[in-house]
Each structure stands twice: as C-alpha cells, then as structure tokens.
Amino acid sequence: MKATRRLTNAVKETYVHGHEKAVLSSHKWRTAQNSAGYLLKFIKPGSKLLDVGCGPGTITCDFAKLVGESGQVVAIDTSTSVLDEAKAVAESQGVSKSILFESENVYELPYEDDTFDIVHAHQVLQHLSDPVSALSEMRRVVKPDGYVGARDADFDAMIWYPLSQEMESWLKLYRKVARDKGGEPDAGRRIYGWAKAAGFSTVDPSVGCWCFTSQEEKEWWGYGWADRVSKTALGSHIVKSGLATQEHLERIAAGWRVWVDADDAWFAVMHGEILGRK
C-alpha cells in the first residue's frame, strides 16, 4: 500500500482552531450518519477506505464498522496528539484492529496510485491553502471505480435565531481569521468548483445540513463556540492579531450563552458535498 513516491514541496498548514479540549469535544459529536450520509451507501464490507483529517476518530470508527473485519480504514491527521485521541476512541468502540492511524500530509499521501475504494475528507478543505491540489492527490490514490467524498461547511451561509450582534461579530471575526491563516471559511459553495478543477471525470454535488434545536444540541454547539472563541488557539490568534480584545471575545462568548438559553433558538449549518469519480 505504501509508496516510495514523496513530494519535496508539500504545503504544511496551520489549523486555525487548535486542538484544545473544547475543539475535540465538539468534533466528537460527529458520526458517519450525521456527517457523511451522502457517502454511506458506497461503503461496503471489505472496502479499503482512507479518512483524511480524521480528527478524534468518531466518523472513522463508524467507517470501520461498515467495512468490517474484511476491510480496512486508514485514518490520517497531521496532529499526533489528535491521533492518540482517535486511537483511544477506536479502542473504546472495539474497532482498533480495523483502523491504521498515521500522521500524514494530504498533499503528499504515501500510498500507491489506485489504492483505496473510498477516500473521505470532512471539514478539511476549508482549512487548506490549496484545496484543489489536495483533492488531486486524493483522486490519485482512489481506485478507478472508487469514490472521493468531501464535505465542508459554508460559514457565510450559516443562519440562526434569535439574532445576536455578538454572534454576528463572531462570524465576521472567524471568517477573517480563517482567511488570514490561508483557509476558506465559505468552502461549501466552492467545493464543487474545486473538485472539477482537480480533474475528476464526474463530480456529483449535494448539500447537507446540521440543524441544532434541542436543548442538548444548543448547549453542545453554543457552549462549544463560547469556549472556542475565548479559550483556544482561535481566540489567541484574534487577540494577537489585534482584531479584537479578550474583553470583546468574552462578550461574544456571553452572547453564545444567551442564545443557548433562548426557548426559540436554532442554528443551521449548510455544507457543500461532492462525490468525485476518477
């Protein structure tokens, strides 16, 4: 499976969110069902699947259950600490034997051409300075009859109620910081064009949505962002860049908490999705 081919000019990206507890706790809510539903019918027992940017591994573990003992999932991330978290999740779910965790860079995947039945990336492309090159590399390692599936949120398409000046300020700051770091926070609307530019023979686009309305969902989403904007690498970058003061971030965090407590609160996250064929 491993190739000797290595590129010498691979880009190394900076993950704007960091990997603090507040970030990983948010990511652990994700499952294959709520985050990769568009792809599930193509994953069969015995499939060989590459999960790019696997994070804490909750989606990865669901994939492992789908491919079964006759298949294999290779899960990659650039953060070794995150991979340790993912390994622990896999152990707790009894699927660690079906998953190979590796620290790798999507721009220089160390796998032979035509290796995987499925290549998957969730919320990865928005953080990359060159998403087309990343998709091209994912296309290289997928089999001719396989699928590359990618899904990314579109921050400017997010909507919520009740309206909140603090949350509007959060959105404006986040989109600014993400672009300062070389990413594209409004990736959802661009993902189809990126995939076409990456050279796939066919690209099937779709749209997926998260909608948070229950008290449990609102607390997970709202309290998570309150902590992420005020207590993680994201907030630190905002302050160090002079975009806002820590006091301003604390007001934004308080605005998130007010939103959580509103009886009629809801939040919708639109995602662009693509299925690419080689």
Side-chain angles (χ1 to χ4, degrees):
M1 182 187 297
K2 282 289 184 79
T4 56
R5 170 187 182 274
R6 303 291 284 185
L7 304 179
T8 59
N9 59 345
V11 179
K12 292 186 178 180
E13 309 285 3
T14 300
Y15 184 51
V16 66
H17 294 282
H19 297 102
E20 289 93 337
K21 181 179 179 181
V23 178
L24 295 183
S25 295
S26 169
H27 292 176
K28 285 181 178 179
W29 169 86
R30 299 171 182 173
T31 66
Q33 288 69 34
N34 67 32
S35 300
Y38 69 101
L39 184 62
L40 296 186
K41 67 180 180 181
F42 302 105
I43 303 174
K44 309 296 183 183
S47 292
K48 187 175 292 183
L49 185 150
L50 175 64
D51 194 14
V52 176
C54 66
T58 49
I59 298 175
T60 310
C61 289
D62 287 341
F63 288 157
K65 295 169 187 174
L66 292 172
V67 305
E69 294 183 0
S70 61
Q72 185 183 40
V73 175
V74 178
I76 67 171
D77 204 287
T78 57
S79 169
T80 55
S81 63
V82 168
L83 288 172
D84 288 341
E85 290 264 353
K87 291 174 185 177
V89 171
E91 287 282 353
S92 70
Q93 295 194 23
V95 294
S96 58
K97 292 182 179 180
S98 298
I99 306 173
L100 176 63
F101 291 100
E102 299 188 314
S103 178
E104 299 292 351
N105 187 321
V106 68
Y107 294 119
E108 53 171 12
L109 296 173
Y111 311 112
E112 299 284 358
D113 296 358
D114 308 334
T115 294
F116 297 97
D117 300 293
I118 303 287
V119 180
H120 168 264
H122 183 261
Q123 312 291 21
V124 172
L125 300 177
Q126 63 184 279
H127 300 294
L128 303 182
S129 59
D130 191 355
V132 174
S133 291
L135 283 165
S136 295
E137 184 70 346
M138 293 162 68
R139 180 177 62 84
R140 179 183 67 80
V141 301
V142 77
K143 295 178 181 178
D145 60 348
Y147 293 89
V148 171
R151 185 180 198 248
D152 270 272
D154 193 300
F155 275 76
D156 198 38
M158 294 181 181
I159 57 173
W160 61 84
Y161 189 85
L163 302 181
S164 164
Q165 288 186 346
E166 290 81 10
M167 290 167 68
E168 290 285 353
S169 181
W170 156 78
L171 182 61
K172 181 178 180 180
L173 284 170
Y174 178 80
R175 293 174 72 231
K176 170 64 174 171
V177 170
R179 290 192 172 118
D180 284 351
K181 289 289 189 178
E184 176 46 70
D186 303 336
R189 70 191 64 189
R190 293 173 167 84
I191 195 169
Y192 177 56
W194 290 340
K196 288 175 72 67
F200 290 98
S201 62
T202 63
V203 181
D204 294 325
S206 56
V207 172
C209 187
W210 290 335
C211 185
F212 307 123
T213 57
S214 72
Q215 190 60 31
E216 180 181 4
E217 291 169 337
K218 290 189 298 179
E219 289 176 1
W220 165 76
W221 185 249
Y223 293 157
W225 270 111
D227 287 345
R228 288 163 77 173
V229 77
S230 61
K231 299 178 182 179
T232 71
L234 172 62
S236 297
H237 179 79
I238 291 172
V239 173
K240 289 177 181 178
S241 299
L243 299 173
T245 64
Q246 185 62 37
E247 290 75 17
H248 186 184
L249 298 184
E250 295 296 342
R251 290 195 297 272
I252 291 174
W256 273 107
R257 298 185 187 102
V258 169
W259 174 82
V260 169
D261 290 337
D263 290 338
D264 56 351
W266 79 302
F267 199 109
V269 181
M270 192 277 282
H271 299 83
E273 305 164 340
I274 61 96
L275 275 173
R277 302 299 300 272
K278 197 163 192 172

